[in-house]
Amino acid sequence: MTVSIAERTTALRRVGKALADPTRSAILLALLDDARYPADLAHELGITKQSVSNHLACLRDCRIVVAEPVGRRVLYEISDARLRHALHDLVDVVLVVDNSLDCAPDDDECAVTA
């Protein structure tokens, strides 16, 4: 099966949207270790359950995470083992790149820091 550039672009945009928000990034990092319940994520990350729920909905819509009912609760995890592996690799690569470049939080462009 051949995947078009348009399909690849759409897939990368979904991941980019997921990673663009610091809270969603933190949720994804927590989910890299193991599946979690929203209440546990809220406690671990120090944010409200409502905020976690909203971000998980976005990640679900982007097909980055999946939800599995467990009794009356819902357990969330990264949607695919290959995606989990890719996110682990992305974090590892980003940690070794040149730290003199910093993306400004309120700007779309990266700037060189002093």
Side-chain angles (χ1 to χ4, degrees):
M1 175 175 97
T2 303
V3 180
S4 71
I5 291 176
E7 291 168 314
R8 291 178 188 184
T9 300
T10 299
L12 284 178
R13 289 184 69 208
R14 283 197 329 256
V15 173
K17 179 180 179 182
L19 296 174
D21 182 90
T23 301
R24 285 193 297 271
S25 291
I27 289 170
L28 286 174
L29 288 173
L31 292 175
L32 285 180
D33 296 333
D34 201 8
R36 301 272 204 301
Y37 294 103
D40 297 336
L41 286 167
H43 177 73
E44 183 178 336
L45 301 174
I47 55 180
T48 66
K49 291 177 188 176
Q50 182 63 41
S51 179
V52 168
S53 179
N54 290 340
H55 287 292
L56 286 170
C58 176
L59 292 169
R60 233 183 14 253
D61 291 345
C62 290
R63 290 172 265 162
I64 305 296
V65 302
V66 292
E68 182 176 333
V70 178
R72 295 175 60 182
R73 299 174 73 190
V74 179
L75 189 64
Y76 285 84
E77 63 184 337
I78 303 293
S79 61
D80 187 278
R82 294 169 296 179
L83 179 57
R84 180 182 293 106
H85 183 74
L87 290 171
H88 269 292
D89 286 349
L90 179 61
V91 170
D92 290 346
V93 168
V94 170
L95 289 173
V96 298
V97 297
D98 184 358
N99 288 330
S100 66
L101 294 178
D102 183 34
C103 282
D106 296 326
D107 196 352
D108 289 336
E109 296 182 32
C110 290
V112 176
T113 59

